[in-house]
Amino acid sequence: MTFGRGPLLPIVPPLVIIGLSLVLIISFLVTSYMTIDKEKKIVSYKAGPFDGEIKIDKIRKIKLNTRMYVGLKIGLSFKKGMIIYYHKYDSIYFTPKHSDDFCKQLKLINPDIEIVP
């Protein structure tokens, strides 16, 4: 196969990488969410290919109004979000639409959660 004056083979790998990158970015934008299940007392999250659950009684602290974070990030947004600290060393960054309501719902289930503004 040829493309223009040269073979097509050298441009195929970059095109595949760009295509897969676009699919991953679009999946993050379309499927990023976090929900609270009050009956099971868990927070479920999904962002692209990553998903999981956090037991609400294992949440230690929530730090609000932050942008800088290294680790798992749920929600691709330029607005300030929150870091949820759970278990002993685990944390996750999240940008909910209504941070105050989200924290209030978590505090109703687990009043021991420390909220840091």
Side-chain angles (χ1 to χ4, degrees):
M1 279 175 52
T2 61
F3 180 74
R5 295 183 178 198
L8 181 63
L9 191 59
I11 66 166
V12 171
L15 290 177
V16 170
I17 291 170
I18 290 170
L20 291 175
S21 298
L22 287 174
V23 167
L24 185 64
I25 290 170
I26 290 170
S27 72
F28 269 103
L29 293 173
V30 173
T31 64
S32 294
Y33 65 87
M34 191 172 250
T35 58
I36 298 173
D37 186 336
K38 293 180 181 179
E39 291 177 13
K40 295 181 182 178
K41 296 184 179 181
I42 59 170
V43 176
S44 301
Y45 62 86
K46 179 157 179 64
F50 305 107
D51 63 347
E53 295 178 342
I54 302 169
K55 292 183 180 180
I56 295 174
D57 46 335
K58 298 294 182 184
I59 297 175
R60 301 178 287 116
K61 177 172 72 170
I62 299 175
K63 184 176 181 184
L64 300 173
N65 301 319
T66 186
R67 287 187 191 166
M68 300 297 290
Y69 181 66
V70 175
L72 184 58
K73 300 177 183 183
I74 305 299
L76 300 174
S77 175
F78 295 108
K79 71 178 189 170
K80 292 183 178 180
M82 64 173 62
I83 301 173
I84 299 174
Y85 297 92
Y86 59 102
H87 294 140
K88 191 168 185 175
Y89 299 109
D90 296 322
S91 61
I92 188 169
Y93 179 82
F94 180 59
T95 54
K97 289 182 181 178
H98 307 286
S99 297
D100 295 335
D101 293 337
F102 190 80
C103 289
K104 285 178 187 175
Q105 289 181 21
L106 291 176
K107 287 281 279 184
L108 288 174
I109 299 168
N110 180 2
D112 296 332
I113 297 174
E114 176 187 358
I115 307 292
V116 178

Short mmCIF file of all heavy atoms in Angstrom, two decimals, residues 57-106:
data_model
loop_
_atom_site.label_atom_id
_atom_site.label_comp_id
_atom_site.label_asym_id
_atom_site.label_seq_id
_atom_site.Cartn_x
_atom_site.Cartn_y
_atom_site.Cartn_z
N ASP A 57 -18.50 4.64 55.41
CA ASP A 57 -17.97 4.63 56.77
C ASP A 57 -16.44 4.54 56.79
O ASP A 57 -15.82 4.69 57.85
CB ASP A 57 -18.60 3.54 57.63
CG ASP A 57 -18.68 2.20 56.94
OD1 ASP A 57 -18.71 2.16 55.71
OD2 ASP A 57 -18.73 1.18 57.65
N LYS A 58 -15.79 4.35 55.63
CA LYS A 58 -14.33 4.34 55.54
C LYS A 58 -13.76 5.70 55.13
O LYS A 58 -12.56 5.90 55.10
CB LYS A 58 -13.85 3.28 54.54
CG LYS A 58 -14.23 1.88 54.92
CD LYS A 58 -13.52 1.45 56.19
CE LYS A 58 -13.89 0.01 56.53
NZ LYS A 58 -13.32 -0.42 57.79
N ILE A 59 -14.65 6.66 54.79
CA ILE A 59 -14.20 8.00 54.41
C ILE A 59 -13.78 8.75 55.67
O ILE A 59 -14.54 8.87 56.62
CB ILE A 59 -15.29 8.78 53.65
CG1 ILE A 59 -15.63 8.06 52.35
CG2 ILE A 59 -14.86 10.22 53.39
CD1 ILE A 59 -16.78 8.67 51.59
N ARG A 60 -12.54 9.25 55.66
CA ARG A 60 -12.00 9.97 56.82
C ARG A 60 -12.16 11.48 56.69
O ARG A 60 -12.52 12.15 57.64
CB ARG A 60 -10.49 9.69 56.98
CG ARG A 60 -10.12 8.26 57.17
CD ARG A 60 -8.61 8.08 57.28
NE ARG A 60 -7.96 8.26 55.98
CZ ARG A 60 -7.10 9.22 55.69
NH1 ARG A 60 -6.75 10.10 56.58
NH2 ARG A 60 -6.56 9.31 54.48
N LYS A 61 -11.88 11.99 55.49
CA LYS A 61 -11.81 13.44 55.33
C LYS A 61 -12.14 13.81 53.90
O LYS A 61 -11.88 13.05 52.97
CB LYS A 61 -10.39 13.90 55.70
CG LYS A 61 -10.11 15.35 55.52
CD LYS A 61 -8.75 15.76 56.07
CE LYS A 61 -7.61 15.27 55.25
NZ LYS A 61 -6.32 15.86 55.63
N ILE A 62 -12.70 15.01 53.73
CA ILE A 62 -12.96 15.57 52.40
C ILE A 62 -12.36 16.97 52.38
O ILE A 62 -12.69 17.81 53.22
CB ILE A 62 -14.46 15.64 52.08
CG1 ILE A 62 -15.07 14.24 52.08
CG2 ILE A 62 -14.69 16.34 50.74
CD1 ILE A 62 -16.56 14.22 51.87
N LYS A 63 -11.45 17.20 51.45
CA LYS A 63 -10.84 18.52 51.29
C LYS A 63 -11.50 19.20 50.10
O LYS A 63 -11.45 18.70 48.98
CB LYS A 63 -9.33 18.39 51.07
CG LYS A 63 -8.64 19.71 51.00
CD LYS A 63 -7.14 19.52 50.88
CE LYS A 63 -6.46 20.87 50.82
NZ LYS A 63 -5.02 20.73 50.61
N LEU A 64 -12.13 20.35 50.35
CA LEU A 64 -12.88 21.07 49.32
C LEU A 64 -12.02 22.11 48.62
O LEU A 64 -10.96 22.52 49.12
CB LEU A 64 -14.10 21.75 49.95
CG LEU A 64 -15.11 20.83 50.63
CD1 LEU A 64 -16.15 21.64 51.36
CD2 LEU A 64 -15.76 19.90 49.64
N ASN A 65 -12.53 22.60 47.50
CA ASN A 65 -11.97 23.73 46.76
C ASN A 65 -10.49 23.56 46.43
O ASN A 65 -9.67 24.43 46.73
CB ASN A 65 -12.19 25.04 47.52
CG ASN A 65 -13.65 25.31 47.76
OD1 ASN A 65 -14.47 25.07 46.88
ND2 ASN A 65 -14.00 25.75 48.94
N THR A 66 -10.16 22.47 45.80
CA THR A 66 -8.78 22.24 45.41
C THR A 66 -8.72 21.90 43.92
O THR A 66 -9.67 21.38 43.36
CB THR A 66 -8.13 21.14 46.26
OG1 THR A 66 -6.76 21.04 45.93
CG2 THR A 66 -8.80 19.81 46.08
N ARG A 67 -7.59 22.22 43.30
CA ARG A 67 -7.39 21.90 41.89
C ARG A 67 -6.20 20.98 41.67
O ARG A 67 -6.19 20.21 40.75
CB ARG A 67 -7.13 23.17 41.08
CG ARG A 67 -8.34 23.99 40.91
CD ARG A 67 -8.06 25.13 39.98
NE ARG A 67 -9.18 26.05 40.04
CZ ARG A 67 -9.16 27.25 39.58
NH1 ARG A 67 -8.09 27.73 39.02
NH2 ARG A 67 -10.22 28.02 39.68
N MET A 68 -5.19 21.10 42.50
CA MET A 68 -3.97 20.32 42.31
C MET A 68 -4.11 18.95 42.97
O MET A 68 -4.50 18.85 44.12
CB MET A 68 -2.78 21.05 42.93
CG MET A 68 -2.53 22.41 42.32
SD MET A 68 -2.11 22.35 40.58
CE MET A 68 -0.51 21.63 40.66
N TYR A 69 -3.78 17.90 42.19
CA TYR A 69 -3.87 16.56 42.74
C TYR A 69 -3.15 15.59 41.83
O TYR A 69 -3.18 15.74 40.62
CB TYR A 69 -5.33 16.14 42.90
CG TYR A 69 -5.49 14.77 43.49
CD1 TYR A 69 -5.11 14.53 44.80
CD2 TYR A 69 -5.98 13.73 42.75
CE1 TYR A 69 -5.24 13.28 45.35
CE2 TYR A 69 -6.11 12.47 43.30
CZ TYR A 69 -5.74 12.25 44.59
OH TYR A 69 -5.86 11.02 45.14
N VAL A 70 -2.49 14.62 42.42
CA VAL A 70 -1.86 13.54 41.64
C VAL A 70 -2.50 12.24 42.10
O VAL A 70 -2.50 11.93 43.28
CB VAL A 70 -0.34 13.50 41.90
CG1 VAL A 70 0.28 12.32 41.18
CG2 VAL A 70 0.31 14.80 41.47
N GLY A 71 -3.06 11.48 41.19
CA GLY A 71 -3.73 10.24 41.53
C GLY A 71 -4.93 10.06 40.63
O GLY A 71 -5.01 10.64 39.56
N LEU A 72 -5.89 9.27 41.07
CA LEU A 72 -7.08 9.03 40.28
C LEU A 72 -7.98 10.25 40.30
O LEU A 72 -8.33 10.74 41.37
CB LEU A 72 -7.83 7.80 40.81
CG LEU A 72 -9.06 7.36 40.03
CD1 LEU A 72 -8.70 7.04 38.58
CD2 LEU A 72 -9.69 6.16 40.68
N LYS A 73 -8.33 10.74 39.14
CA LYS A 73 -9.17 11.93 39.01
C LYS A 73 -10.47 11.55 38.33
O LYS A 73 -10.45 10.98 37.25
CB LYS A 73 -8.47 13.01 38.20
CG LYS A 73 -7.17 13.47 38.80
CD LYS A 73 -6.50 14.48 37.92
CE LYS A 73 -5.17 14.87 38.53
NZ LYS A 73 -4.48 15.88 37.77
N ILE A 74 -11.57 11.86 38.96
CA ILE A 74 -12.88 11.59 38.39
C ILE A 74 -13.49 12.92 37.98
O ILE A 74 -13.76 13.76 38.81
CB ILE A 74 -13.81 10.89 39.40
CG1 ILE A 74 -13.17 9.63 39.94
CG2 ILE A 74 -15.16 10.59 38.77
CD1 ILE A 74 -12.86 8.59 38.91
N GLY A 75 -13.70 13.10 36.70
CA GLY A 75 -14.26 14.34 36.20
C GLY A 75 -13.18 15.23 35.63
O GLY A 75 -12.28 15.63 36.34
N LEU A 76 -13.25 15.50 34.34
CA LEU A 76 -12.28 16.38 33.72
C LEU A 76 -12.87 17.77 33.71
O LEU A 76 -13.70 18.11 32.91
CB LEU A 76 -11.99 15.91 32.29
CG LEU A 76 -11.42 14.50 32.18
CD1 LEU A 76 -11.32 14.09 30.72
CD2 LEU A 76 -10.07 14.42 32.83
N SER A 77 -12.45 18.60 34.63
CA SER A 77 -13.02 19.91 34.78
C SER A 77 -11.95 20.89 35.21
O SER A 77 -10.98 20.52 35.86
CB SER A 77 -14.14 19.87 35.83
OG SER A 77 -14.62 21.15 36.06
N PHE A 78 -12.15 22.15 34.84
CA PHE A 78 -11.21 23.17 35.25
C PHE A 78 -11.68 23.87 36.53
O PHE A 78 -10.98 24.70 37.07
CB PHE A 78 -11.02 24.20 34.14
CG PHE A 78 -10.38 23.60 32.93
CD1 PHE A 78 -11.10 23.37 31.78
CD2 PHE A 78 -9.05 23.24 32.96
CE1 PHE A 78 -10.49 22.82 30.67
CE2 PHE A 78 -8.43 22.68 31.85
CZ PHE A 78 -9.17 22.47 30.70
N LYS A 79 -12.87 23.52 37.00
CA LYS A 79 -13.34 24.12 38.25
C LYS A 79 -12.72 23.40 39.43
O LYS A 79 -12.18 22.32 39.31
CB LYS A 79 -14.86 24.09 38.32
CG LYS A 79 -15.45 22.73 38.54
CD LYS A 79 -16.95 22.82 38.65
CE LYS A 79 -17.50 21.48 39.08
NZ LYS A 79 -18.89 21.54 39.44
N LYS A 80 -12.82 24.02 40.58
CA LYS A 80 -12.27 23.42 41.79
C LYS A 80 -13.11 22.22 42.20
O LYS A 80 -14.32 22.21 42.06
CB LYS A 80 -12.23 24.44 42.92
CG LYS A 80 -11.24 25.55 42.67
CD LYS A 80 -11.19 26.50 43.84
CE LYS A 80 -10.16 27.58 43.59
NZ LYS A 80 -10.09 28.51 44.71
N GLY A 81 -12.44 21.21 42.73
CA GLY A 81 -13.12 20.00 43.13
C GLY A 81 -12.81 19.64 44.57
O GLY A 81 -12.47 20.50 45.38
N MET A 82 -12.92 18.35 44.87
CA MET A 82 -12.68 17.88 46.23
C MET A 82 -11.83 16.62 46.19
O MET A 82 -11.83 15.90 45.21
CB MET A 82 -14.00 17.59 46.94
CG MET A 82 -14.81 16.47 46.33
SD MET A 82 -16.26 15.98 47.27
CE MET A 82 -17.22 17.45 47.25
N ILE A 83 -11.09 16.42 47.27
CA ILE A 83 -10.33 15.19 47.43
C ILE A 83 -10.99 14.41 48.56
O ILE A 83 -11.17 14.93 49.66
CB ILE A 83 -8.86 15.46 47.77
CG1 ILE A 83 -8.19 16.28 46.68
CG2 ILE A 83 -8.12 14.13 47.95
CD1 ILE A 83 -6.79 16.71 47.03
N ILE A 84 -11.37 13.18 48.29
CA ILE A 84 -11.98 12.31 49.29
C ILE A 84 -10.90 11.35 49.78
O ILE A 84 -10.34 10.59 48.99
CB ILE A 84 -13.18 11.54 48.71
CG1 ILE A 84 -14.25 12.53 48.23
CG2 ILE A 84 -13.74 10.57 49.73
CD1 ILE A 84 -15.41 11.88 47.53
N TYR A 85 -10.61 11.42 51.06
CA TYR A 85 -9.62 10.53 51.68
C TYR A 85 -10.37 9.39 52.36
O TYR A 85 -11.28 9.63 53.16
CB TYR A 85 -8.80 11.28 52.72
CG TYR A 85 -7.97 12.41 52.15
CD1 TYR A 85 -8.48 13.70 52.09
CD2 TYR A 85 -6.70 12.17 51.67
CE1 TYR A 85 -7.73 14.73 51.56
CE2 TYR A 85 -5.94 13.20 51.14
CZ TYR A 85 -6.46 14.47 51.09
OH TYR A 85 -5.71 15.50 50.56
N TYR A 86 -9.98 8.16 52.06
CA TYR A 86 -10.65 7.00 52.65
C TYR A 86 -9.63 5.92 52.93
O TYR A 86 -8.48 5.98 52.48
CB TYR A 86 -11.76 6.48 51.73
CG TYR A 86 -11.31 6.06 50.35
CD1 TYR A 86 -11.15 4.72 50.04
CD2 TYR A 86 -11.05 7.00 49.37
CE1 TYR A 86 -10.74 4.32 48.80
CE2 TYR A 86 -10.63 6.61 48.11
CZ TYR A 86 -10.48 5.27 47.83
OH TYR A 86 -10.07 4.89 46.58
N HIS A 87 -10.03 4.92 53.70
CA HIS A 87 -9.13 3.90 54.24
C HIS A 87 -7.96 4.59 54.92
O HIS A 87 -8.14 5.67 55.50
CB HIS A 87 -8.68 2.91 53.16
CG HIS A 87 -9.80 2.09 52.62
ND1 HIS A 87 -9.90 1.79 51.30
CD2 HIS A 87 -10.87 1.52 53.21
CE1 HIS A 87 -10.98 1.07 51.08
NE2 HIS A 87 -11.58 0.89 52.23
N LYS A 88 -6.79 4.03 54.85
CA LYS A 88 -5.66 4.64 55.55
C LYS A 88 -4.89 5.60 54.65
O LYS A 88 -4.52 6.69 55.07
CB LYS A 88 -4.74 3.55 56.10
CG LYS A 88 -3.71 4.08 57.06
CD LYS A 88 -3.02 2.97 57.79
CE LYS A 88 -2.07 3.56 58.84
NZ LYS A 88 -1.47 2.53 59.66
N TYR A 89 -4.65 5.21 53.39
CA TYR A 89 -3.83 6.03 52.51
C TYR A 89 -4.47 6.36 51.16
O TYR A 89 -3.84 6.99 50.33
CB TYR A 89 -2.49 5.31 52.24
CG TYR A 89 -1.69 5.06 53.47
CD1 TYR A 89 -1.54 3.77 53.97
CD2 TYR A 89 -1.08 6.10 54.16
CE1 TYR A 89 -0.80 3.51 55.11
CE2 TYR A 89 -0.35 5.87 55.30
CZ TYR A 89 -0.20 4.58 55.76
OH TYR A 89 0.52 4.34 56.90
N ASP A 90 -5.69 5.92 50.92
CA ASP A 90 -6.31 6.09 49.61
C ASP A 90 -7.00 7.45 49.51
O ASP A 90 -7.51 7.99 50.49
CB ASP A 90 -7.35 4.98 49.37
CG ASP A 90 -6.71 3.62 49.30
OD1 ASP A 90 -5.61 3.51 48.73
OD2 ASP A 90 -7.32 2.65 49.80
N SER A 91 -7.03 7.98 48.28
CA SER A 91 -7.74 9.23 48.03
C SER A 91 -8.16 9.26 46.56
O SER A 91 -7.62 8.56 45.71
CB SER A 91 -6.85 10.43 48.35
OG SER A 91 -5.70 10.43 47.54
N ILE A 92 -9.15 10.10 46.29
CA ILE A 92 -9.67 10.26 44.93
C ILE A 92 -10.10 11.71 44.76
O ILE A 92 -10.63 12.32 45.70
CB ILE A 92 -10.83 9.27 44.67
CG1 ILE A 92 -11.25 9.28 43.22
CG2 ILE A 92 -12.00 9.54 45.57
CD1 ILE A 92 -12.19 8.15 42.85
N TYR A 93 -9.85 12.28 43.59
CA TYR A 93 -10.24 13.65 43.27
C TYR A 93 -11.53 13.61 42.48
O TYR A 93 -11.69 12.79 41.56
CB TYR A 93 -9.13 14.31 42.45
CG TYR A 93 -9.44 15.72 42.04
CD1 TYR A 93 -9.23 16.78 42.91
CD2 TYR A 93 -9.94 16.01 40.77
CE1 TYR A 93 -9.51 18.07 42.53
CE2 TYR A 93 -10.22 17.30 40.38
CZ TYR A 93 -10.00 18.33 41.27
OH TYR A 93 -10.27 19.61 40.89
N PHE A 94 -12.46 14.49 42.81
CA PHE A 94 -13.76 14.49 42.17
C PHE A 94 -14.27 15.91 42.05
O PHE A 94 -14.02 16.73 42.93
CB PHE A 94 -14.74 13.62 42.98
CG PHE A 94 -16.11 13.55 42.40
CD1 PHE A 94 -16.32 13.06 41.13
CD2 PHE A 94 -17.20 13.96 43.13
CE1 PHE A 94 -17.60 12.99 40.59
CE2 PHE A 94 -18.48 13.89 42.61
CZ PHE A 94 -18.67 13.40 41.34
N THR A 95 -14.98 16.22 40.97
CA THR A 95 -15.56 17.55 40.77
C THR A 95 -17.08 17.43 40.61
O THR A 95 -17.59 17.41 39.50
CB THR A 95 -14.96 18.23 39.53
OG1 THR A 95 -15.11 17.37 38.40
CG2 THR A 95 -13.50 18.55 39.72
N PRO A 96 -17.80 17.34 41.72
CA PRO A 96 -19.26 17.26 41.62
C PRO A 96 -19.87 18.62 41.26
O PRO A 96 -19.25 19.66 41.47
CB PRO A 96 -19.69 16.83 43.02
CG PRO A 96 -18.63 17.36 43.90
CD PRO A 96 -17.36 17.30 43.11
N LYS A 97 -21.07 18.58 40.72
CA LYS A 97 -21.75 19.83 40.37
C LYS A 97 -22.10 20.62 41.62
O LYS A 97 -22.02 21.84 41.64
CB LYS A 97 -23.01 19.54 39.57
CG LYS A 97 -22.73 19.04 38.18
CD LYS A 97 -24.00 18.81 37.41
CE LYS A 97 -23.68 18.28 36.03
NZ LYS A 97 -24.87 17.99 35.25
N HIS A 98 -22.50 19.92 42.69
CA HIS A 98 -22.92 20.56 43.92
C HIS A 98 -22.14 19.96 45.09
O HIS A 98 -22.60 19.02 45.74
CB HIS A 98 -24.43 20.39 44.14
CG HIS A 98 -25.24 20.84 42.96
ND1 HIS A 98 -25.43 22.17 42.66
CD2 HIS A 98 -25.89 20.15 41.99
CE1 HIS A 98 -26.17 22.27 41.57
NE2 HIS A 98 -26.46 21.05 41.14
N SER A 99 -20.97 20.51 45.37
CA SER A 99 -20.09 19.97 46.41
C SER A 99 -20.76 19.99 47.79
O SER A 99 -20.63 19.03 48.55
CB SER A 99 -18.79 20.77 46.48
OG SER A 99 -18.08 20.65 45.29
N ASP A 100 -21.45 21.08 48.11
CA ASP A 100 -22.07 21.19 49.43
C ASP A 100 -23.13 20.12 49.66
O ASP A 100 -23.16 19.48 50.71
CB ASP A 100 -22.69 22.58 49.62
CG ASP A 100 -21.65 23.69 49.64
OD1 ASP A 100 -20.48 23.39 49.97
OD2 ASP A 100 -22.00 24.84 49.31
N ASP A 101 -23.99 19.91 48.68
CA ASP A 101 -25.03 18.88 48.81
C ASP A 101 -24.42 17.48 48.91
O ASP A 101 -24.87 16.64 49.69
CB ASP A 101 -25.99 18.92 47.62
CG ASP A 101 -26.82 20.20 47.60
OD1 ASP A 101 -26.98 20.82 48.67
OD2 ASP A 101 -27.28 20.57 46.51
N PHE A 102 -23.38 17.25 48.12
CA PHE A 102 -22.69 15.95 48.15
C PHE A 102 -22.12 15.68 49.54
O PHE A 102 -22.30 14.60 50.10
CB PHE A 102 -21.59 15.94 47.08
CG PHE A 102 -20.97 14.61 46.84
CD1 PHE A 102 -21.61 13.66 46.05
CD2 PHE A 102 -19.76 14.28 47.41
CE1 PHE A 102 -21.04 12.42 45.82
CE2 PHE A 102 -19.18 13.05 47.19
CZ PHE A 102 -19.82 12.12 46.40
N CYS A 103 -21.45 16.68 50.11
CA CYS A 103 -20.87 16.53 51.46
C CYS A 103 -21.95 16.34 52.52
O CYS A 103 -21.79 15.53 53.43
CB CYS A 103 -20.00 17.73 51.80
SG CYS A 103 -18.47 17.80 50.86
N LYS A 104 -23.05 17.08 52.41
CA LYS A 104 -24.14 16.95 53.39
C LYS A 104 -24.72 15.54 53.38
O LYS A 104 -25.00 14.97 54.44
CB LYS A 104 -25.24 17.97 53.10
CG LYS A 104 -24.87 19.37 53.50
CD LYS A 104 -25.97 20.35 53.13
CE LYS A 104 -25.53 21.77 53.38
NZ LYS A 104 -26.52 22.76 52.94
N GLN A 105 -24.89 14.97 52.19
CA GLN A 105 -25.43 13.62 52.10
C GLN A 105 -24.46 12.60 52.71
O GLN A 105 -24.90 11.67 53.39
CB GLN A 105 -25.71 13.26 50.64
CG GLN A 105 -26.88 14.00 50.06
CD GLN A 105 -27.16 13.60 48.63
OE1 GLN A 105 -26.76 12.53 48.17
NE2 GLN A 105 -27.86 14.47 47.90
N LEU A 106 -23.17 12.79 52.49
CA LEU A 106 -22.19 11.89 53.09
C LEU A 106 -22.16 12.03 54.61
O LEU A 106 -22.06 11.04 55.33
CB LEU A 106 -20.80 12.15 52.52
CG LEU A 106 -20.59 11.75 51.06
CD1 LEU A 106 -19.19 12.15 50.60
CD2 LEU A 106 -20.82 10.28 50.85
#
